[in-house]
Amino acid sequence: TYNYDKEIRKLIAALEMSFNSGIANVKKVLDDTKDSPHLLPGKTPGLTSTVTSMDLKVKKGIMDLKRKLMDVGKKKDEL
């Protein structure tokens, strides 16, 4: 039998990594500007870019996971 569990875990790990990495980058910029909040407006283009990239990666990860789960569901119906 095919090992879907391993593939699903791999997709979830990639999704988790994309999300955690994006959040860590945003938090780092906010922490860096904690003592100089007036610098934050200048950092917003970079933050916006990070959040946009994270959004795309997470959406792709969710779609990949959804497709894999649907594949597993189809295989169950074929049994």
Side-chain angles (χ1 to χ4, degrees), residues 48-75:
T48 302
S49 175
T50 297
V51 171
T52 300
S53 173
M54 182 181 135
D55 182 43
L56 293 172
K57 286 178 183 174
V58 170
K59 279 181 183 168
K60 182 190 178 310
I62 291 289
M63 289 306 295
D64 290 347
L65 179 59
K66 182 180 171 184
R67 271 195 288 287
K68 183 54 64 184
L69 291 170
M70 289 170 69
D71 286 349
V72 172
K74 284 179 190 169
K75 296 294 180 201

Side-chain angles (χ1 to χ4, degrees), residues 35-50:
D35 296 329
S36 312
H38 63 283
L39 296 177
L40 186 57
K43 306 241 182 199
T44 57
L47 282 172
T48 302
S49 175
T50 297

